[in-house]
Amino acid sequence: MNRQADTARERDVTATHARPYSRAGAIVPGVGVRAAGGPVARGRAARGPVAGGRAAGGLRVLGDAFALVALPLVLGAALLPGAFAGGGTRRWFGGRGESVRADAQAAKDAAAAAFYELDTAQRDLRISIETITAVDSSPRARKAVDDFAALGRRIDEVSNDYITAVDAYDLDRDDLDASVASRARGELTKAKDDLVRVKGELDRFEQSLGPLLSTAETQLARLAPAVERARQALLSASTALDSVRASGMRADDLAARLAALGPELTRLNQGAGRHGVPETLERADRVLREAEGVRAEAERLPERAAEIDRRLVSLRTRAQALTTRAGTVDPVLSELRRRFAAACWQDLQQVPDQALVNVRQAEEKLKEAAAARDEQRWADATSRLSTVRALLNSTDEAVSAAGDRLQRLNAVAKDPEQEIQRTRFAIRDAQRLAMSGRNTPDPHHARPLDDAVARLDRAIATLEGRHPDYWHFLTETEAVRQTAARVVAQIREERGHGA
């Protein structure tokens, strides 16, 4: 419709400048007629020479006869303009014909206004549709595009009808017939009504686009700030990396990660028109996150190096201490062998040798970690230190287990009743909770508690021999207490759900 609107504007401008001024009243009645006859002719006959005789009299009688014949014609000619001006037949200008012409011109102006309003609305809505399609490719957005295209076809149809009606009639012609002007008014009025109707459809369609347009405008409003934030993040990361390198650190891995973002920055600079708004927003967010990660790691790099140095010193000291503690395991095992049954210490036989192996492995990993630190391979150094820590933790637990075993066996050998009462208390506490608010316990709770009581009784019976297996007794009582704790947790969970 845009080309049609431009053509219509040119046509209206040309018609406005070419329209002649109204010539109503240009005919001055009576002036030309009086000059042609009437009083002037009669005066000239009165001043003519007087002829004698019959010839003169005959000529005078003939002249009077001609004068009498011509007088009605002269009077008719003199009265003819007056008849058009105010007689039985109306003049065109200033009468009913002029009113019909004015109505037709008013209809043309109204149609032109409706045409331009529709054209403006269509142009504005096209911008909205382009905004939506630039951001949204969902089925709803595609349907909006199709509906707009269908509306465009209806707009073209009524616009063509309007232009055809305008081209069909020249309302500025002097000899325009009233019936033609009336027909022009009707066709132009119909064209205006059709334009207004389609304009209403266009307005309703525009209102239905509100949610889609709002979402699209929101994303477009995010676009420029998101791209700018990504650029600033890249700049900050580059600045932080330069600062770290100036302090003597290579930070090669960070430099490689930052270089990998170069192509992404190029795509951001190419704009959403080439890569799409959603893709550009996603790319900007990704570049922002990765650039901020590089910047943060670069800023933490000096602190990270210092932390690795501290961990190296701490783990070396711990490894040396464990080497010393591992030497105390053999005397503990010797006392366990002398005083308790084999089942109480057999699982600890390998602790001294395994402790020495673990400490040696830890010391080798510490050397690798130190080398990685010197080469500024921070990830490798951190990984080696984590391995050292795990080795030392397991060694520490094994060495401590021997001493703890001897201590617990000494305590139960001296007074097993304390361990027995502790376990029975745990069972009774679970039983009281199972019976709370009930006449009979739930079998799901009662059965494991009954089994726990029987298991405790069997564990107590093992203490009656000549060489009691105190370690088995301790592991059994520990298992019974764990069973009671599970029942308590189950009861509380079930009652919590019921509440």
Side-chain angles (χ1 to χ4, degrees):
M1 179 178 172
N2 297 334
R3 180 178 60 80
Q4 296 169 347
D6 295 339
T7 303
R9 289 190 181 93
E10 295 173 359
R11 182 181 295 106
D12 284 356
V13 169
T14 303
T16 300
H17 289 290
R19 184 181 302 168
Y21 292 99
S22 175
R23 293 178 294 174
I27 301 175
V28 182
V31 174
V33 174
R34 286 194 299 270
V40 177
R42 288 193 297 270
R44 185 180 298 115
R47 288 191 298 270
V50 181
R54 294 174 59 93
L59 290 174
R60 186 167 55 251
V61 173
L62 184 59
D64 291 339
F66 277 114
L68 292 174
V69 173
L71 180 59
L73 296 177
V74 174
L75 291 176
L79 294 176
L80 185 59
F84 279 99
T89 303
R90 295 175 180 265
R91 289 178 52 215
W92 172 258
F93 298 102
R96 177 177 176 275
E98 179 62 19
S99 176
V100 175
R101 180 198 293 265
D103 292 343
Q105 186 62 50
K108 178 180 178 182
D109 294 340
F115 177 82
Y116 294 141
E117 288 179 4
L118 178 59
D119 177 61
T120 301
Q122 185 186 24
R123 290 173 186 266
D124 294 341
L125 189 55
R126 179 175 288 108
I127 295 174
S128 300
I129 290 293
E130 291 172 353
T131 300
I132 293 172
T133 55
V135 173
D136 194 350
S137 59
S138 65
R140 187 179 177 188
R142 291 195 296 270
K143 182 179 183 302
V145 173
D146 295 339
D147 292 344
F148 180 70
L151 267 176
R153 289 189 290 272
R154 289 200 291 276
I155 291 172
D156 290 342
E157 180 180 348
V158 296
S159 298
N160 287 331
D161 293 343
Y162 160 72
I163 294 173
T164 301
V166 170
D167 290 341
Y169 301 100
D170 182 8
L171 301 181
D172 296 321
R173 289 178 53 190
D174 293 339
D175 57 349
L176 183 66
D177 189 78
S179 61
V180 176
S182 178
R183 188 164 58 251
R185 180 187 62 186
E187 294 184 11
L188 289 169
T189 300
K190 180 180 181 304
K192 184 263 295 181
D193 293 341
D194 291 341
L195 291 168
V196 171
R197 175 180 53 79
V198 176
K199 172 66 164 50
E201 295 179 17
L202 200 66
D203 292 341
R204 289 189 293 273
F205 177 69
E206 183 179 13
Q207 293 176 359
S208 69
L209 293 180
L212 283 175
L213 184 60
S214 177
T215 301
E217 289 176 342
T218 300
Q219 290 194 351
L220 285 176
R222 289 177 49 207
L223 183 62
V227 172
E228 183 60 25
R229 286 194 299 269
R231 289 172 179 159
Q232 292 300 321
L234 284 171
L235 180 60
S236 298
S238 178
T239 302
L241 187 58
D242 291 341
S243 176
V244 167
R245 285 180 160 181
S247 66
M249 297 182 180
R250 292 194 301 271
D252 294 336
D253 55 336
L254 296 180
R257 287 169 56 186
L258 189 60
L261 296 177
E264 296 297 307
L265 178 61
T266 300
R267 295 184 182 95
L268 286 177
N269 291 333
Q270 288 172 345
R274 180 169 180 178
H275 299 287
V277 174
E279 293 78 4
T280 302
L281 283 172
E282 180 182 357
R283 179 174 290 110
D285 291 341
R286 184 172 63 254
V287 169
L288 176 65
R289 290 192 304 269
E290 295 180 2
E292 287 183 343
V294 171
R295 178 193 57 78
E297 291 189 30
E299 291 176 349
R300 287 197 306 265
L301 201 54
E303 181 182 352
R304 186 178 183 184
E307 176 64 20
I308 289 175
D309 292 338
R310 287 192 297 270
R311 291 180 65 185
L312 280 169
V313 173
S314 174
L315 290 174
R316 284 194 187 103
T317 302
R318 188 179 176 190
Q320 293 170 359
L322 276 176
T323 302
T324 302
R325 288 184 59 202
T328 64
V329 176
D330 284 333
V332 172
L333 287 175
S334 178
E335 185 174 354
L336 287 172
R337 294 188 193 100
R338 186 177 68 254
R339 295 178 52 200
F340 298 98
C344 295
W345 49 264
Q346 281 181 342
D347 60 321
L348 299 176
Q349 284 287 89
Q350 304 301 322
V351 169
D353 295 339
Q354 189 63 45
L356 294 175
V357 170
N358 288 351
V359 169
R360 282 196 297 269
Q361 290 180 352
E363 290 174 343
E364 292 175 0
K365 294 297 181 182
L366 281 172
K367 292 179 182 179
E368 295 176 3
R373 161 64 181 90
D374 294 339
E375 297 172 3
Q376 299 186 17
R377 292 184 287 110
W378 311 110
D380 289 343
T382 302
S383 175
R384 300 297 189 279
L385 291 176
S386 297
T387 302
V388 170
R389 184 178 180 180
L391 286 169
L392 295 181
N393 284 343
S394 62
T395 304
D396 193 4
E397 291 174 0
V399 171
S400 299
D404 293 342
R405 177 81 57 87
L406 178 59
Q407 182 181 359
R408 294 182 64 188
L409 289 174
N410 285 334
V412 74
K414 183 178 180 181
D415 184 14
E417 188 63 26
Q418 185 177 0
E419 183 71 13
I420 293 171
Q421 293 302 324
R422 178 187 174 194
T423 306
R424 282 179 174 166
F425 176 81
I427 294 174
R428 285 195 299 269
D429 187 61
Q431 289 173 338
R432 282 194 297 269
L433 183 62
M435 290 296 298
S436 176
R438 302 177 63 93
N439 293 325
T440 58
D442 189 326
H444 294 291
H445 306 150
R447 187 177 299 108
L449 292 177
D450 292 342
D451 293 342
V453 172
R455 188 174 183 179
L456 176 61
D457 292 340
R458 289 192 298 271
I460 294 173
T462 62
L463 299 178
E464 297 175 356
R466 182 177 179 181
H467 298 289
D469 188 350
Y470 290 110
W471 183 242
H472 174 73
F473 171 75
L474 289 174
T475 55
E476 284 295 288
T477 55
E478 178 64 26
V480 169
R481 289 194 295 270
Q482 290 178 357
T483 299
R486 284 196 300 270
V487 171
V488 169
Q490 181 181 1
I491 293 172
R492 288 175 176 171
E493 181 180 0
E494 290 175 355
R495 292 181 180 179
H497 289 165

Coordinates of all heavy atoms in Angstrom, one line a residue, residues 83-97:
A83 N -32.6 34.7 -16.8 CA -33.3 33.4 -16.6 C -32.4 32.4 -15.9 O -32.8 31.7 -15.0 CB -33.9 32.9 -17.9
F84 N -31.1 32.3 -16.4 CA -30.2 31.4 -15.7 C -29.9 31.8 -14.3 O -29.6 31.0 -13.5 CB -28.9 31.3 -16.6 CG -29.0 30.3 -17.7 CD1 -29.3 30.8 -19.0 CD2 -29.0 29.0 -17.5 CE1 -29.4 29.9 -20.0 CE2 -29.1 28.1 -18.6 CZ -29.3 28.6 -19.9
A85 N -29.8 33.1 -14.1 CA -29.4 33.6 -12.8 C -30.5 33.4 -11.8 O -30.3 33.1 -10.6 CB -29.1 35.1 -12.9
G86 N -31.8 33.6 -12.1 CA -32.8 33.5 -11.1 C -34.2 33.1 -11.6 O -35.1 33.3 -10.9
G87 N -34.3 32.6 -12.8 CA -35.5 32.3 -13.4 C -35.9 30.8 -13.1 O -35.5 30.2 -12.1
G88 N -36.7 30.2 -14.0 CA -37.2 28.9 -13.7 C -36.1 27.8 -13.8 O -36.1 26.8 -13.2
T89 N -35.0 28.1 -14.7 CA -33.9 27.1 -14.8 C -32.8 27.7 -13.9 O -32.3 28.8 -14.1 CB -33.4 27.0 -16.3 OG1 -34.6 26.6 -17.0 CG2 -32.3 26.0 -16.4
R90 N -32.2 26.8 -13.0 CA -31.1 27.2 -12.0 C -29.8 27.3 -12.7 O -29.5 26.5 -13.6 CB -31.0 26.3 -10.8 CG -32.3 26.3 -10.0 CD -32.1 25.2 -8.9 NE -33.3 25.1 -8.0 CZ -33.4 25.8 -6.9 NH1 -32.4 26.6 -6.5 NH2 -34.4 25.7 -6.1
R91 N -29.0 28.3 -12.3 CA -27.6 28.3 -12.8 C -26.8 27.2 -12.1 O -27.1 26.7 -11.0 CB -26.9 29.6 -12.4 CG -27.4 30.8 -13.2 CD -26.7 32.1 -12.8 NE -25.3 31.9 -12.7 CZ -24.5 32.5 -11.8 NH1 -25.0 33.2 -10.9 NH2 -23.2 32.3 -11.9
W92 N -25.7 26.7 -12.7 CA -24.8 25.6 -12.1 C -24.1 26.2 -10.9 O -24.2 25.6 -9.8 CB -23.8 25.1 -13.1 CG -22.8 24.2 -12.5 CD1 -21.6 24.5 -12.1 CD2 -23.0 22.9 -12.1 NE1 -21.0 23.4 -11.6 CE2 -21.9 22.4 -11.5 CE3 -24.1 22.0 -12.2 CZ2 -21.7 21.1 -11.1 CZ3 -24.0 20.7 -11.8 CH2 -22.8 20.3 -11.2
F93 N -23.4 27.3 -11.0 CA -22.7 27.8 -9.9 C -23.6 28.5 -8.9 O -24.4 29.4 -9.3 CB -21.6 28.8 -10.4 CG -20.6 28.1 -11.3 CD1 -20.7 28.3 -12.6 CD2 -19.6 27.3 -10.7 CE1 -19.8 27.6 -13.4 CE2 -18.7 26.7 -11.5 CZ -18.8 26.8 -12.9
G94 N -23.5 28.1 -7.6 CA -24.3 28.7 -6.6 C -25.6 28.0 -6.4 O -26.3 28.3 -5.4
G95 N -26.0 27.0 -7.2 CA -27.3 26.4 -7.0 C -27.1 24.9 -6.5 O -26.1 24.6 -5.9
R96 N -28.1 24.1 -6.9 CA -28.0 22.7 -6.4 C -26.8 21.9 -6.9 O -26.2 21.1 -6.2 CB -29.3 22.0 -6.9 CG -29.4 20.5 -6.6 CD -30.7 19.9 -7.0 NE -30.7 18.5 -6.7 CZ -30.2 17.6 -7.5 NH1 -29.7 18.0 -8.7 NH2 -30.3 16.3 -7.2
G97 N -26.4 22.2 -8.2 CA -25.2 21.5 -8.7 C -24.0 21.8 -7.9 O -23.2 20.9 -7.7

